[in-house]
Amino acid sequence: MAEPVQDAAGFEPARLDAFLRDAIPGLAGPMALTRISGGQSNPTFFVTYANRRLVLRKKPGGEVLPSAHAVDREARVLQALAATDVPVPPVVLFHAGEEVVGTPFYVMERVEGRVFDSCDLPGAAVAERRAMYFSFAATLAKLHDVDWRAAGLEGFGRPGNYFERQVGRWTKQWEAQRFRDIPELTTLAAWVGAHIPADDGETAVVHGDYRPGNVLFHPTEPRVVAVLDWELSTIGHPLADLAFSVIPWRSAPDEYGGMLGLDITGLGIPTEAEYVAHYYASRRRPAPRMATFHVAFAMFRFAVIFEGIAARARAGTAAAANAASVGELSVALARRGLDSIGG
């Protein structure tokens, strides 16, 4: 959903307009700036001219956690993947300074397509939802098959011991923003920390937030045309992405648009097992199998992300107006994580 911008969340649209006209020759007509609502992370805007449709992503204002909201990393991975078969929006420019919109930002081409705010794909035809989810799975497989070194992503993340480092990172993230006790999250964190699997050497570009709400589907066809929101991407283990992507089958509709309890067969949506099988069938090389740990870790990490949103809401720096209510999902996701381990 988009909303007209008056003060553009603290920066002057005229300054951005002048910068873009200097950086991108040939822009015609007045600039229209529209805030894209619904996101909980990096503020995003449609920037529209008579002859060019663009999207701007910036860091949020105020204090943020170390390494969070790294729009420079988003721009880098998008530029690297542009030469692969992973569908991504073309990056036009990245600007590291703060003088234009108050924070670093990047601009990309606007890709036309459909975005869905819940995982049952409301508004899509029943007959196309199965193919849409299979395209979603196949797109993830394409990402994990990318030769990240050949793509120029050396140094984008540290290969090896991914889950050990990630459990440590998200535990520290939780402690850094902690303002209340959540017994379910405490229990889940302890279980995940005690069940980290041995490193198998598997590495891939991982998106970090791969869910239906972060892709664009073709306007009329049941296929993914762009993967969005790369803030959490890195070099890591592909099973982190795969496990995260099955959360919709294991969470309820009021838990960030999940599908648990819905008649997914009647909706034309494949089962979790069918979705996972299509992912593996789409990989070009053998891939490790997802296990209980990977799902529990995905739930733990997602719960910590939501708790971060709640913390930013308390501090008044959250990107979305509904951040306070969305942040409460940390408790729900921690409970789903316990469900996944039989706790």
Side-chain angles (χ1 to χ4, degrees):
M1 184 179 295
E3 301 168 349
V5 172
Q6 300 299 321
D7 64 357
F11 66 84
E12 297 178 11
R15 184 181 299 143
L16 172 64
D17 184 30
F19 174 86
L20 292 178
R21 290 182 190 277
D22 183 61
I24 308 172
L27 295 178
M31 180 189 79
L33 188 65
T34 308
R35 174 77 178 259
I36 305 172
S37 65
Q40 298 296 336
S41 183
N42 293 329
T44 306
F45 303 84
F46 288 143
V47 185
T48 307
Y49 291 89
N51 62 340
R52 199 81 178 263
R53 290 160 65 83
L54 305 167
V55 176
L56 180 148
R57 292 262 291 176
K58 68 183 290 294
K59 291 184 70 169
E63 293 186 12
V64 297
L65 290 167
S67 78
H69 310 285
V71 292
D72 56 330
R73 289 177 58 83
E74 286 191 43
R76 180 184 174 188
V77 72
L78 286 170
Q79 291 168 324
L81 293 174
T84 73
D85 59 356
V86 179
V88 294
V91 173
V92 178
L93 62 87
F94 169 74
H95 186 69
E98 300 181 355
E99 75 282 3
V100 180
V101 298
T103 69
F105 70 94
Y106 70 95
V107 174
M108 55 188 162
E109 300 285 358
R110 181 172 171 180
V111 178
E112 300 303 323
R114 292 176 286 172
V115 177
F116 297 93
D117 58 6
S118 64
C119 298
D120 57 341
L121 310 181
V126 171
E128 67 175 348
R129 288 187 180 127
R130 186 176 183 85
M132 292 170 77
Y133 261 103
F134 283 166
S135 176
F136 183 65
T139 300
L140 185 61
K142 288 179 182 179
L143 174 64
H144 293 163
D145 280 329
V146 166
D147 183 336
W148 52 271
R149 291 185 177 88
L153 288 171
E154 191 80 51
F156 192 66
R158 286 189 294 158
N161 297 315
Y162 177 76
F163 287 113
E164 180 180 352
R165 288 184 288 106
Q166 282 286 295
V167 169
R169 173 192 172 181
W170 289 102
T171 300
K172 290 177 182 176
Q173 200 96 310
W174 176 35
E175 293 296 340
Q177 65 203 9
R178 190 168 184 170
F179 63 93
R180 59 179 174 173
D181 289 327
I182 303 177
E184 296 92 340
L185 191 49
T186 300
T187 302
L188 181 60
W191 189 94
V192 168
H195 291 81
I196 301 171
D199 182 48
D200 59 6
E202 191 78 13
T203 57
V205 181
V206 294
H207 180 273
D209 194 11
Y210 195 73
R211 50 191 173 84
N214 278 341
V215 303
L216 276 173
F217 288 94
H218 188 276
T220 60
E221 300 173 13
R223 59 184 176 87
V224 174
V225 292
V227 182
L228 311 173
D229 292 5
W230 291 83
E231 177 197 346
L232 297 173
S233 60
T234 189
I235 302 302
H237 201 291
L239 289 181
D241 267 349
L242 181 61
F244 185 84
S245 74
V246 306
I247 288 179
W249 281 270
R250 296 169 181 248
S251 57
D254 61 352
E255 296 167 352
Y256 217 59
M259 301 184 292
L260 189 64
L262 299 181
D263 177 15
I264 61 171
T265 301
L267 291 170
I269 296 171
T271 64
E272 177 187 319
E274 290 173 323
Y275 166 80
V276 171
H278 194 80
Y279 164 84
Y280 282 112
S282 300
R283 290 292 305 268
R284 293 196 300 265
R285 55 189 176 87
R289 296 287 148 171
M290 186 174 68
T292 298
F293 166 83
H294 305 104
V295 176
F297 168 74
M299 294 288 191
F300 164 67
R301 177 176 165 275
F302 209 19
V304 174
I305 289 172
F306 281 125
E307 192 65 358
I309 294 168
R312 292 198 301 275
R314 290 181 81 243
T317 60
N322 65 336
S325 60
V326 170
E328 291 303 310
L329 290 172
S330 54
V331 179
L333 269 295
R335 289 171 179 161
R336 295 300 179 193
L338 294 181
D339 291 343
S340 71
I341 62 176

